[in-house]
Amino acid sequence: VLPACLLLALLLLAPALAAPQERGLIFNLEIGELCLQSAQCKSGCCHRVSGLSLARCASMAAEFQECSPKSIYGVYYKCPCERGLTCEADRTIVGSITNSDFGVCKDPQDSSRR
């Protein structure tokens, strides 16, 4: 027989786990919701304003907006670029460690036409 706490936990988590297309408690979070990793956000970006602020899901960076290259950290000060764009940033070891290697989103097709 399942303990009451475990049964209650299963009942609360079942809707989130059974419907992956819909918003869950942990994944498929909407813009503005609190997050710990970018994988939790529908947008793919868990963003924080400063080191002391709470991270929230945010939109990916559009063309000509500031961006961060995708990293292993999963939380960004500047979101990575939307699909099809590249983040042209000065990638250095120090910038990668301190999460400060920001750049600008650009369309790689535009630079190849010139």
Side-chain angles (χ1 to χ4, degrees):
V1 179
L2 290 174
C5 293
L6 184 57
L7 183 59
L8 181 61
L10 288 173
L11 288 173
L12 291 173
L13 289 175
L17 298 173
Q21 309 316 355
E22 296 178 18
R23 184 186 159 278
L25 297 173
I26 299 170
F27 291 100
N28 292 320
L29 300 177
E30 300 289 341
I31 290 173
E33 292 189 284
L34 294 173
C35 55
L36 295 172
Q37 282 283 336
S38 290
Q40 294 178 279
C41 304
K42 280 184 181 180
S43 66
C45 179
C46 186
H47 171 265
R48 73 175 50 205
V49 176
S50 70
L52 299 176
S53 66
L54 295 173
R56 296 183 178 272
C57 294
S59 299
M60 299 293 263
E63 191 170 11
F64 305 117
Q65 286 185 332
E66 278 191 298
C67 58
S68 291
K70 291 204 177 214
S71 74
I72 59 170
Y73 300 118
V75 177
Y76 298 96
Y77 290 107
K78 306 286 181 191
C79 287
C81 299
E82 294 174 339
R83 184 172 290 165
L85 301 176
T86 58
C87 186
E88 293 189 8
D90 181 22
R91 293 185 178 211
T92 63
I93 300 289
V94 174
S96 295
I97 293 170
T98 61
N99 200 11
S100 63
D101 53 347
F102 306 130
V104 176
C105 292
K106 297 202 176 169
D107 185 345
Q109 299 297 324
D110 288 347
S111 61
S112 64
R113 292 180 194 148
R114 293 181 188 162

